[in-house]
Amino acid sequence: MISLPALDLTQMVPEEKCARDESIPFGKPMIDAAEIAAVTEILSGTQLVHGPAMRRFESLFAERIGCAHAVAMSSCTAGLHLSLLVNGVGPGDEVMVPAMTHVATAHAVEYCGARPVFVDVERETGNLDPSLVVERVTPAMKAIMPVHYLGLPCDMAALGEIARSNDLFLVEDCALAMDAEFDGRKAGTHGLTGCFSFYPVKHLTTAEGGMVATDDGGIADALRRRRAFGYDKALGERTRPGIYDVAELGYNYRMNEIAAAIGVVQLGKLDGFQAARKRNFHIMKEILAGSGGVQVLGGGRGRAQSSYYCLNVVLPEDARLDRDEVIARLGQRGIGCSIHYPSAVPMFAYYREKYGYRRGQFPVAESLAARSISLPVGPHLTANDARRVANAVGDILNANTSTTGIELAS
Ligand SMILES: *Cc1c(COP(=O)(O)O)cnc(C)c1O
């Protein structure tokens, strides 16, 4: 993830200029005295792991999403890994993964010793295309991992039908899909499990952290055992201190109490965060409509309600400016952006070399990797900041000349 560092302009320029040109990073954790007080309370106590803050965060999260069980993890990646593992994915198995996602989705399959089968995505949304998915199901396939690209839910009705008729299960990668909805139900409640991330630039943060949502009590229990070494008894269930048995190979994927306490405070602020994201997105979308022929990804669409993670502009094939040049020019104006993602996953060296993929096999994912820019819409932007970002993009795309000479022929 590329996000330009926030410059401390107060050190360098007079106050008026500072107010006008303050830098806007792509993402910024919204931490204030409430999180600091919650962390202080944990650190002043005696229980730093396995405690009540984690259980409270889990139950508040489950309530928010509308699932029966929420199991906290040290990261979303840990949740993706265990979701596959506890449902029996192992060597010889295959799991379908979109070619355009965070590498964590595919890595989770590799951790299990299984093979990711990459499928190209829809040009309009960056999501799995059900008509391609149905063609790529193999006899060795166990699961499909729909990734709600930039927070727009995949067609979970169509994918659910494909899963049912081929005896596959769905693990939703909801890292960018907090509060997104498909057919009025939250992302993360359509699959067998849904995995969320609390990395600093996601919708809410615990510094590092993740959550797995599921309606299946057996799966929730298995996830709880596997996140803590495979102990057969949780800390509170041991009749004698320190006595437990280990029946399976578990991991250390727990969420600590400090992270969980931050998460509880962040959940309380989430409605405000989400309202700001949606407002900023719509302000920017309106300004950008028709700007240099860009396509805007990331809003709601049909039965899918977005989480408004960012506003992603896809430059036209014949754009006058190269994508990296646009990002550099935004950087000069103090505006940070991100790229989702710098490469189609099969084109990263690890996957390309292991499986022998060639350029051009995933044309839509490869084109999104080369031509899209994710603009900030987070709650750290005021409405004026959102206007400033969109106007800057419009200016840059409509400018005729390049300062560095990197121009694409049109
Ligand atoms: C951020 C992200 C992840 C990884 O989340 P972590 O909590 O950092 O492990 C996985 N998938 C997607 C789509 C992401 O954006």
Side-chain angles (χ1 to χ4, degrees):
M1 185 162 293
I2 294 176
S3 140
L4 299 167
L7 293 172
D8 187 359
L9 294 170
T10 54
Q11 302 296 313
M12 312 188 300
V13 289
E15 211 137 79
E16 318 82 69
K17 180 145 176 53
C18 182
R20 202 167 60 238
D21 282 353
E22 210 169 319
S23 64
I24 303 171
F26 173 75
K28 182 176 166 199
M30 304 295 280
I31 300 290
D32 64 22
E35 284 85 354
I36 293 168
V39 168
T40 302
E41 195 184 323
I42 298 293
L43 291 177
S44 310
T46 53
Q47 195 154 22
L48 298 185
V49 281
H50 284 298
M54 183 188 71
R55 288 192 293 274
R56 180 157 168 72
F57 186 34
E58 288 179 336
S59 73
L60 290 171
F61 191 93
E63 210 174 293
R64 171 121 196 161
I65 295 298
C67 63
H69 309 276
V71 182
M73 294 281 163
S74 53
S75 69
C76 177
T77 308
L80 293 168
H81 175 200
L82 292 192
S83 292
L84 297 174
L85 189 86
V86 304
N87 288 298
V89 172
D93 294 333
E94 296 187 336
V95 176
M96 195 180 295
V97 175
M100 184 36 69
T101 178
H102 190 289
V103 72
T105 324
H107 275 9
V109 180
E110 292 277 320
Y111 298 159
C112 295
R115 178 185 176 132
V117 172
F118 294 104
V119 176
D120 207 1
V121 293
E122 293 176 335
R123 194 170 287 281
E124 295 72 32
T125 63
N127 278 333
L128 276 178
D129 176 345
S131 67
L132 280 186
V133 167
V134 82
E135 285 172 17
R136 298 297 306 278
V137 173
T138 63
M141 198 162 282
K142 285 277 165 58
I144 303 175
M145 299 176 87
V147 177
H148 307 306
Y149 186 66
L150 309 179
L152 179 72
C154 298
D155 183 342
M156 294 309 292
L159 294 176
E161 190 45 48
I162 295 168
R164 264 187 303 280
S165 50
N166 291 280
D167 200 19
L168 305 171
F169 64 90
L170 299 176
V171 172
E172 299 177 66
D173 183 336
C174 301
L176 302 182
M178 185 71 206
D179 286 337
E181 291 181 4
F182 186 83
D183 279 351
R185 261 173 51 222
K186 292 258 164 103
T189 64
H190 297 262
L192 189 53
T193 67
C195 304
F196 294 81
S197 173
F198 309 126
Y199 184 76
V201 297
K202 312 284 166 131
H203 292 78
L204 72 157
T205 188
T206 61
E208 292 268 20
M211 191 73 81
V212 183
T214 184
D215 283 332
D216 185 314
I219 288 171
D221 288 343
L223 290 168
R224 291 197 164 98
R225 284 194 309 274
R226 292 276 192 167
R227 79 175 163 190
F229 303 107
Y231 296 147
D232 63 342
K233 291 186 183 65
L235 200 62
E237 296 165 4
R238 296 176 195 161
T239 46
R240 278 187 294 152
I243 302 295
Y244 52 79
D245 196 6
V246 177
E248 46 197 3
L249 181 67
Y251 296 78
N252 184 350
Y253 280 172
R254 287 171 304 215
M255 174 178 281
N256 67 60
E257 290 290 285
I258 300 168
I262 299 172
V264 168
V265 177
Q266 291 265 300
L267 266 185
K269 295 178 173 178
L270 192 58
D271 284 340
F273 291 170
Q274 303 293 50
R277 284 182 181 277
K278 192 168 178 176
R279 175 202 67 204
N280 292 338
F281 180 92
H282 286 294
I283 288 172
M284 289 165 59
K285 188 174 173 182
E286 199 174 309
I287 293 173
L288 283 168
S291 242
V294 294
Q295 177 194 355
V296 171
L297 293 185
R301 215 182 134 83
R303 298 152 76 181
Q305 182 61 46
S306 177
S307 70
Y308 299 99
Y309 177 65
C310 61
L311 185 147
N312 186 278
V313 292
V314 185
L315 303 183
E317 303 269 10
D318 62 352
R320 202 177 279 117
L321 292 176
D322 173 76
R323 186 264 308 274
D324 298 337
E325 170 71 7
V326 175
I327 291 179
R329 290 191 186 192
L330 285 167
Q332 286 162 6
R333 298 182 184 216
I335 296 167
C337 345
S338 188
I339 295 178
H340 295 91
Y341 291 88
S343 170
V345 177
M347 298 300 146
F348 280 124
Y350 175 84
Y351 290 98
R352 202 181 58 231
E353 286 163 18
K354 181 166 183 179
Y355 296 110
Y357 292 114
R358 294 170 320 280
R359 236 159 251 300
Q361 275 184 284
F362 304 92
V364 179
E366 290 172 54
S367 144
L368 289 176
R371 295 192 292 117
S372 78
I373 304 171
S374 292
L375 301 171
V377 304
H380 60 297
L381 275 74
T382 62
N384 270 335
D385 290 336
R387 282 182 210 106
R388 195 180 122 202
V389 172
N391 285 325
V393 173
D395 286 354
I396 290 166
L397 293 179
N398 294 325
N400 285 314
T401 51
S402 161
T403 47
T404 62
I406 305 174
E407 268 188 349
L408 296 182
S410 48

